Amino acid sequence: MDYNSTRNDSVKVSASEAIIKGLAPDGGLFVPVDFPRVDRFDLLKLSQMSYNERAYFILSRYLTDFTETELKKCIDSAYSKEKFETDSIAPLYKLSNNMYILELWHGPTCAFKDMALQILPHFTVTASAKLGLDNETVILVATSGDTGKAALEGFRDVDNTKIIVFYPQSGVSHIQQLQMVTQEGSNVFVCAVNGNFDDAQNGVKAIFTDKAFAALLKQNKKAFSSANSINWGRLAPQIVYYFSAYADLIKNEEIQTGDEINIVVPTGNFGNILAAYYAKRMGLPVSKLICASNENNVLTDFINTGVYDKNREFKMTISPSMDILISSNLERFLYDISGGDTEKINKLMSELKSNGKYDVGEDMRKKISDIFCAGFCNDDETLECIKNTQENYSYTLDTHTAVAVKVYTDYIKETGDNKKTVIASTASPYKFGKSVVGAVSGSDAVKGKNEFEIIEMLHDISGLKVPPSLAALKDKKVRFERVCKPDGMQIAVKDFLNI
Ligand SMILES: *Cc1c(COP(=O)(O)O)cnc(C)c1O
């Protein structure tokens, strides 16, 4: 399988090159030149397989320059008993007759980003060796919370790599911050940025595109790489779990092979839902993809009107991993839905850059609404959804998944659609404990309580085992206290790399 840029389809690269480069030289994203097909017989076969076998079945069709041994080694190192707390890796929980929760947070950092970031470092090391590179890879990440920790955990102590994470000082939860500043590993560095997520992300982008800085790195036998969700090595593993969910529905006799399902995804950067769309393109029987947003509802407006407009107030919500106004992965979807029209993609992306806005036009809008529905909700509605779900089903949602459940509930009210529906659950409720306990027991109950008291309260409410990695935070030493201004990020990187 070859890959080309969304902005230029004449240059083709291998999967290894796409993974190492991250972004195409023209600023576009790498996309597969076509989609491998999965038919009914394949789906039936998948239903008899373990998660790791399912992963091999899907990924081997994309990472075609990896040998069977290499790919299986990547998969088994990532999705192992040591890293994940369940054998099924991504279990499907039946909430009601039609609603199935795909729990993607049983990895080491309790958020769905582990599904991709546990395997990406193995891809990077394998691809780098394949291409004969002898540079040290320096992973640079800007995070709104979950990516940073998941990337640190994935890359810690991986040979010939270093990882640097910047997070907005007041834009992540207390637990998220603790998870990062106590990170262990000899090759890791964490720094707070005095600003919001976009400031941190712009700072990282500026470092990435600085030619003089790149030359300095090269002199020191190092090269930057990205672990952000634009990397093909992150997107591909996310396709797997949608097939896995469908395979579990067959296995549990909830559906017949070939039945159409809906998929709901709480969305920020459009990565997770794009993976669901790619699964559909490969032949997964999906009726509607439902895109759920919080009050940063730029995607809701886009799907409903065809106009993408980021010129709006950035809101801090209780689902911070979805507080995003530029959804980078949308470019891959636009490329596909336009029939690979690179000229159009260049035009739209340059409009986005200069005006913060573009309009895809009526033809594309129609195509989009055939496939996608979209909705959003505010923080109060999210909290109410957590409370209702606890009361009605004795199941505890985190704030991000609750956005998806609320948007889905609205969707059913509006359409009466009774197809079986898989809802992607992106974080453990323990990660956002204060909001979750507040939702169920009232905000007075959490007043003055520290994070660890809240974890105990949540244990009583949910009956869920406290993730050992979160319980252990209490006694961990803080290793990283540096705070910098957005324009001080370059210096922080140089200091850490000693260059
Ligand atoms: C990253 C994240 C999201 C958003 O995922 P995208 O791929 O950026 O759309 C949703 N929920 C949680 C908990 C996350 O960490």
Side-chain angles (χ1 to χ4, degrees), residues 60-242:
S60 60
R61 281 155 172 75
Y62 283 110
L63 275 58
T64 46
D65 58 337
F66 281 47
T67 66
E68 181 174 343
T69 314
E70 285 168 345
L71 187 53
K72 285 190 168 159
K73 192 170 160 225
C74 292
I75 291 168
D76 292 338
S77 312
Y79 306 123
S80 69
K81 275 205 169 61
E82 291 74 50
K83 305 281 188 180
F84 281 77
E85 61 180 7
T86 66
D87 287 342
S88 46
I89 307 295
L92 194 63
Y93 180 90
K94 184 171 183 176
L95 194 66
S96 72
N97 222 2
N98 289 335
M99 244 194 293
Y100 301 80
I101 307 284
L102 175 58
E103 295 179 349
L104 300 172
W105 38 263
H106 292 285
T109 77
C110 311
F112 95 98
K113 302 226 167 36
D114 287 330
M115 299 301 299
L117 281 164
Q118 278 299 313
I119 199 165
L120 178 69
H122 300 290
F123 286 166
T124 308
V125 170
T126 311
S128 180
K130 245 177 205 315
L131 299 174
L133 305 176
D134 62 351
N135 283 335
E136 182 182 54
T137 304
V138 180
I139 304 286
L140 207 53
V141 181
T143 183
S144 56
D146 292 329
T147 304
K149 177 61 186 180
L152 287 163
E153 212 35 65
F155 279 95
R156 71 185 262 193
D157 295 325
V158 171
D159 286 348
N160 220 15
T161 66
K162 283 206 165 68
I163 171 156
I164 301 172
V165 170
F166 291 101
Y167 69 92
Q169 194 178 13
S170 49
V172 301
S173 80
H174 185 57
I175 284 277
Q176 287 176 320
Q177 185 178 23
L178 269 182
Q179 280 186 307
M180 289 189 277
V181 297
T182 60
Q183 177 66 43
E184 290 164 359
S186 58
N187 62 339
V188 303
F189 176 63
V190 177
C191 182
V193 177
N194 215 324
N196 65 25
F197 171 64
D198 283 340
D199 295 322
Q201 189 162 48
N202 287 337
V204 162
K205 276 194 189 142
I207 297 173
F208 264 123
T209 51
D210 185 324
K211 294 233 162 67
F213 208 156
L216 178 66
L217 277 183
K218 204 167 170 201
Q219 269 173 29
N220 287 278
K221 287 209 149 229
K222 299 180 199 300
F224 281 134
S225 182
S226 149
N228 281 346
S229 71
I230 49 173
N231 192 307
W232 176 247
R234 263 190 73 179
L235 202 53
Q238 298 186 260
I239 301 171
V240 174
Y241 48 71
Y242 292 109

Side-chain angles (χ1 to χ4, degrees), residues 4-11 23-30 331 342 346 349:
N4 61 259
S5 163
T6 47
R7 300 186 195 179
N8 176 356
D9 54 12
S10 64
V11 184
L23 203 65
D26 53 30
L29 309 187
F30 287 115
E331 182 169 344
T342 52
N346 275 296
M349 291 305 125

Side-chain angles (χ1 to χ4, degrees), residues 111-113 146 266-272 321-322 324 400 426-427 432:
F112 95 98
K113 302 226 167 36
D146 292 329
T267 306
N269 229 339
F270 208 76
N272 202 5
S321 302
M322 294 154 66
I324 288 173
H400 303 76
T426 51
F432 302 93

Side-chain angles (χ1 to χ4, degrees), residues 222-467:
K222 299 180 199 300
F224 281 134
S225 182
S226 149
N228 281 346
S229 71
I230 49 173
N231 192 307
W232 176 247
R234 263 190 73 179
L235 202 53
Q238 298 186 260
I239 301 171
V240 174
Y241 48 71
Y242 292 109
F243 279 99
S244 179
Y246 193 90
D248 280 344
L249 287 172
I250 298 174
K251 188 170 99 185
N252 301 339
E253 297 180 354
E254 302 288 337
I255 56 167
Q256 305 262 313
T257 313
D259 287 353
E260 286 199 330
I261 60 166
N262 298 316
I263 296 177
V264 191
V265 184
T267 306
N269 229 339
F270 208 76
N272 202 5
I273 197 164
L274 180 73
Y277 172 72
Y278 278 1
K280 178 176 164 69
R281 286 286 272 123
M282 293 170 71
L284 190 72
V286 177
S287 170
K288 284 284 181 206
L289 289 164
I290 300 165
C291 175
S293 300
N294 63 27
E295 276 197 282
N296 294 294
N297 58 352
V298 60
L299 284 168
T300 316
D301 290 346
F302 170 67
I303 288 167
N304 291 330
T305 65
V307 177
Y308 193 94
D309 187 356
K310 72 154 186 115
N311 303 306
R312 59 182 77 203
E313 193 194 338
F314 177 87
K315 299 199 171 126
M316 304 248 263
T317 73
I318 55 170
S319 42
S321 302
M322 294 154 66
D323 291 346
I324 288 173
L325 289 180
I326 299 187
S327 303
S328 321
N329 264 303
L330 192 60
E331 182 169 344
R332 284 191 165 107
F333 174 64
L334 296 174
Y335 173 85
D336 194 56
I337 204 101
S338 69
D341 185 346
T342 52
E343 212 172 297
K344 176 141 196 180
I345 300 305
N346 275 296
K347 186 171 150 281
L348 295 177
M349 291 305 125
S350 78
E351 282 170 18
L352 181 64
K353 199 165 177 200
S354 46
N355 311 326
K357 184 176 169 173
Y358 59 76
D359 183 345
V360 294
E362 194 48 26
D363 280 359
M364 262 167 83
R365 195 198 63 77
K366 274 218 191 77
K367 279 192 202 163
I368 294 168
S369 61
D370 281 344
I371 303 164
F372 279 90
C373 286
F376 75 100
C377 70
N378 65 28
D379 282 355
D380 285 344
E381 292 167 314
T382 307
L383 294 172
E384 196 184 313
C385 178
I386 293 172
K387 187 178 166 68
N388 290 341
T389 307
Q390 187 68 44
E391 285 173 2
N392 297 338
Y393 304 105
S394 303
Y395 185 85
T396 315
L397 297 169
D398 93 288
T399 48
H400 303 76
T401 311
V403 168
V405 171
K406 163 67 178 157
V407 167
Y408 174 60
T409 313
D410 291 346
Y411 167 82
I412 301 181
K413 267 194 206 131
E414 217 167 276
T415 61
D417 185 349
N418 63 359
K419 283 192 200 62
K420 305 272 182 192
T421 297
V422 169
I423 298 178
S425 174
T426 51
S428 156
Y430 281 107
K431 228 174 157 173
F432 302 93
K434 194 166 187 176
S435 301
V436 175
V437 176
V440 177
S441 307
S443 54
D444 281 347
V446 289
K447 245 185 215 138
K449 295 277 194 300
N450 73 32
E451 295 297 330
F452 300 100
E453 292 167 324
I454 288 171
I455 284 180
E456 284 311 313
M457 294 169 82
L458 188 52
H459 179 67
D460 292 339
I461 291 170
S462 68
L464 280 175
K465 185 173 160 233
V466 179

